[in-house]
Amino acid sequence: MRIVLISLSLLSLLFAGAIFGFFYAWVCSTMWGLDQADPNVAIQAMQAMNASVRNGVFAPAFFGTPFVLLLTGMVAWRAGARRAALFILSGAAIYFGGGMLLTMSVNVPMNEALALIETPLPEAEASTIWSEYSSVWQVWNQIRTVFSGLTLLLVGMAIFSLPHKPRL
């Protein structure tokens, strides 16, 4: 059971790190780069990225993270590693609400609305659309990045709190 718990804990760390890294990259590079581009190009690029993110590489990290954490938390609880279980289960709840549900309720609808925009547009119109989209989208992305980072931190705390020999 110890090997299962350690393996699941490391898998949880990997999943939480992957989704945090994904959101973080948008914060510190992708959106800043798009903001520097011609607004028509930024709209087209964002439309292409939003369409391409629906794939088998992204889906496990985005959709699987709360379930991997939930499973790990239950195994930790059963193994008597209650503190670790509480950290991981808290991380699962935080990511589920602040990462996954937030994305599905705010960022995805914004992306779907942007997908309906046909380019090229007159420069002023494209600039207004991109500016309004990007500024709001980035705020919500920063929020989900913070929640995902907190999830990663909680998984790390869980791993550090694992007893050397959990009850099996």
Side-chain angles (χ1 to χ4, degrees):
M1 182 72 116
R2 177 167 172 71
I3 295 298
V4 171
L5 178 55
I6 290 170
S7 298
L8 284 172
S9 296
L10 292 174
L11 186 63
S12 292
L13 185 68
L14 179 65
F15 271 59
I19 199 63
F20 170 69
F22 177 81
F23 292 148
Y24 180 73
W26 287 92
V27 169
C28 65
S29 64
T30 305
M31 292 306 289
W32 292 348
L34 291 175
D35 285 346
Q36 298 303 309
D38 173 274
N40 276 299
V41 171
I43 291 168
Q44 292 167 353
M46 191 67 167
Q47 289 170 331
M49 286 185 279
N50 288 333
S52 72
V53 78
R54 297 178 189 120
N55 63 62
V57 176
F58 173 71
F62 182 75
F63 294 108
T65 295
F67 300 105
V68 169
L69 269 60
L70 182 61
L71 175 62
T72 305
M74 292 185 324
V75 169
W77 188 269
R78 180 154 182 185
R82 303 288 161 93
R83 183 177 216 181
L86 291 175
F87 282 138
I88 290 177
L89 292 171
S90 296
I94 287 169
Y95 171 71
F96 184 75
M100 199 163 90
L101 288 181
L102 175 64
T103 298
M104 300 304 291
S105 64
V106 177
N107 294 88
V108 168
M110 289 183 71
N111 295 344
E112 290 172 347
L114 188 70
L116 301 175
I117 304 296
E118 292 188 28
T119 55
L121 297 166
E123 188 173 334
E125 186 179 354
S127 181
T128 299
I129 289 170
W130 179 254
S131 177
E132 290 173 0
Y133 170 87
S134 177
S135 61
V136 174
W137 193 94
Q138 286 187 63
V139 167
W140 289 107
N141 183 63
Q142 290 166 6
I143 292 168
R144 68 185 182 171
T145 301
V146 168
F147 281 120
S148 298
L150 184 55
T151 297
L152 179 59
L153 177 66
L154 286 167
V155 172
M157 291 170 63
I159 290 170
F160 279 112
S161 74
L162 285 173
H164 292 352
K165 296 193 181 220
R167 254 187 17 241
L168 303 179

